[in-house]
Amino acid sequence: MSSTTGNKIKISVFGQSHSKAIGVVIDGLPAGKKLDMEKIYAFMARRAPGQNEYSTARKETDIPEIVSGTVNGVTCGAPLCAVIHNTNPHSADYNNIIDTPRPSHADFSGFMRYNGFNDVAGGGHFSGRLTAPLCFAGAVCMQYLEDMDIRVQAHILKIKDASDESFDPISVSECGIDKKSFPVISDKAGEKMRAEIEKARENGDSVGGIIECAVTGIKAGLGDPMFDGVENLLSKNIFAVPAVKGIEFGNGFDAAELYGSENNDGFCIRDGEIKTVTNNSGGINGGITNGMPIIFKTALKPTPSIYKEQNSVSLSGKEEKKLQIKGRHDPCVVVRAVPVIEAVTAFTLLDICL
């Protein structure tokens, strides 16, 4: 199924943006883990809408209701199911796009795939609203990873022309990004990014950006070559996040412009362990972890739902038509996507580690 992923840990997401509820089923979690719900609530609050001027005005508390999989707050081996109720949908805002698809959104492709029965309200199952259950799954899996001394953290690397500092690829430090309302390393860079978002918002437009993610504490030797490499599995799941259009590990596309002598990561002994002098590979060789921090970047496109008039068509009339989008939309999804990238990374890596 397209909404299910994983091997040892299976994640299945259900619901639509404006359905009564959305949620996730996590199958395969080891029993006996006491879940810290306050940590889960805090993590999900980082993604929740309606908190500031650079997110949608839709108000949702995103408090998950666990309906199975625990006994007295401890995982019991049964599938862990969590439901998040949708309390603030405005479905009427989408009446005009039922017949007139939004450019660069999944309205048209979904219409063709599901013979016109796709749910367009709020984007249906294609909506960024479905990243809330992803965050719940990731928050749960992070608590298992923490027991293995594995940490996942991400930040906004770039919004339009404004750039943040990059993680040190050799020694990633705890930056406290998860405690910030605007997840960047440099607050000064964050101010420039906010200005870019505000500029787009005032113009009825949107803006995209790049998120950088780092994983520390991961041991060498995890993953498989060919089709089940760590890069393969992370990429597959990261692309489940709406708006993601690209991913690169380590030097990524920049490696194409280097000599091998410049790009190769020479080996060394550090603290009694085999490490590499540089980390241009992003912690992965041959699909298998090499013991260095996993570093990757994810590119997200500008939100398709903008308030400027756009060119579209009438699906029923087969004629060109102008579209003016209504409703509540993020001028930049990158800010709220940071914990989502962390979450997807967490449940992907826990699946690999198990």
Side-chain angles (χ1 to χ4, degrees):
M1 292 176 60
S2 63
S3 298
T4 299
T5 188
N7 182 22
K8 296 288 187 180
I9 302 290
K10 291 191 182 296
I11 308 290
S12 184
V13 175
F14 60 87
Q16 297 117 255
S17 180
H18 288 191
S19 58
K20 289 185 178 180
I22 54 178
V24 63
V25 177
I26 313 171
D27 199 1
L29 289 173
K33 175 65 179 175
K34 175 70 174 177
L35 298 181
D36 186 333
M37 293 306 298
E38 292 305 316
K39 277 188 176 181
I40 292 174
Y41 297 150
F43 185 85
M44 295 190 67
R46 293 170 56 200
R47 191 224 70 96
Q51 301 186 76
N52 45 56
E53 68 278 6
Y54 37 83
S55 72
T56 172
R58 180 175 178 176
K59 298 286 186 181
E60 297 284 1
T61 57
D62 283 357
I63 300 298
E65 176 188 353
I66 295 179
V67 297
S68 69
T70 62
V71 176
N72 297 322
V74 179
T75 57
C76 64
L80 179 64
C81 177
V83 172
I84 302 168
H85 295 279
N86 287 328
T87 61
N88 190 225
H90 288 180
S91 299
D93 290 341
Y94 296 84
N95 287 344
N96 68 323
I97 66 169
I98 293 175
D99 187 61
T100 311
R102 288 167 288 181
S104 290
H105 202 284
D107 297 336
F108 175 68
S109 55
F111 176 88
M112 297 301 293
R113 173 67 178 81
Y114 298 111
N115 300 313
F117 293 104
N118 57 307
D119 181 8
V120 300
H125 195 64
F126 298 99
S127 171
R129 180 85 188 116
L130 275 298
T131 60
L134 291 181
C135 279
F136 173 82
V140 169
C141 291
M142 275 186 185
Q143 296 189 23
Y144 284 89
L145 291 178
E146 287 171 1
D147 293 341
M148 305 175 193
D149 292 323
I150 297 172
R151 298 287 185 274
V152 179
Q153 59 179 325
H155 70 113
I156 304 173
L157 182 64
K158 192 170 185 180
I159 297 287
K160 202 71 168 62
D161 299 322
S163 300
D164 191 17
E165 302 171 15
S166 295
F167 284 126
D168 181 335
I170 301 298
S171 180
V172 179
S173 59
E174 293 284 342
C175 302
I177 300 168
D178 59 330
K179 303 297 189 295
K180 296 183 176 183
S181 61
F182 199 86
V184 288
I185 297 174
S186 167
D187 292 333
K188 184 172 290 187
E191 291 175 6
K192 295 179 180 178
M193 292 180 186
R194 282 191 244 219
E196 290 285 2
I197 297 172
E198 179 59 20
K199 179 181 176 182
R201 189 186 68 80
E202 289 179 347
N203 291 331
D205 217 326
S206 63
V207 66
I210 298 173
I211 293 173
E212 183 182 43
C213 186
V215 183
T216 55
I218 201 86
K219 295 180 180 179
L222 295 172
D224 290 291
M226 297 293 287
F227 302 114
D228 283 335
V230 175
E231 291 148 318
N232 305 51
L233 298 176
L234 276 171
S235 298
K236 173 181 180 290
N237 290 339
I238 290 294
F239 273 101
V241 181
V244 168
K245 297 301 290 183
I247 187 169
E248 64 175 16
F249 294 83
N251 269 359
F253 282 93
D254 289 342
E257 300 176 2
L258 301 175
Y259 290 110
S261 56
E262 297 172 307
N263 191 63
N264 291 348
D265 297 315
F267 289 104
C268 65
I269 303 297
R270 188 181 301 121
D271 299 326
E273 296 184 350
I274 298 175
K275 298 291 183 180
T276 58
V277 179
T278 53
N279 190 16
N280 297 325
S281 301
I284 304 166
N285 295 117
I288 300 170
T289 57
N290 63 17
M292 296 298 288
I294 295 176
I295 306 285
F296 67 90
K297 302 180 187 73
T298 304
L300 293 94
K301 68 180 181 180
T303 318
S305 296
I306 60 176
Y307 297 107
K308 285 189 172 183
E309 188 177 72
Q310 300 180 79
N311 294 322
S312 186
V313 294
S314 166
L315 295 173
S316 59
K318 297 289 180 66
E319 59 185 7
E320 295 181 359
K321 188 176 180 180
K322 294 293 184 180
L323 174 65
Q324 188 76 54
I325 293 174
K326 304 174 184 177
R328 304 159 296 177
H329 309 285
D330 296 76
C332 180
V333 297
V334 180
V335 182
R336 294 170 58 213
V338 170
V340 183
I341 297 299
E342 293 176 351
V344 173
T345 302
F347 66 65
T348 304
L349 289 180
L350 181 61
D351 191 25
I352 294 170
C353 287
L354 293 179

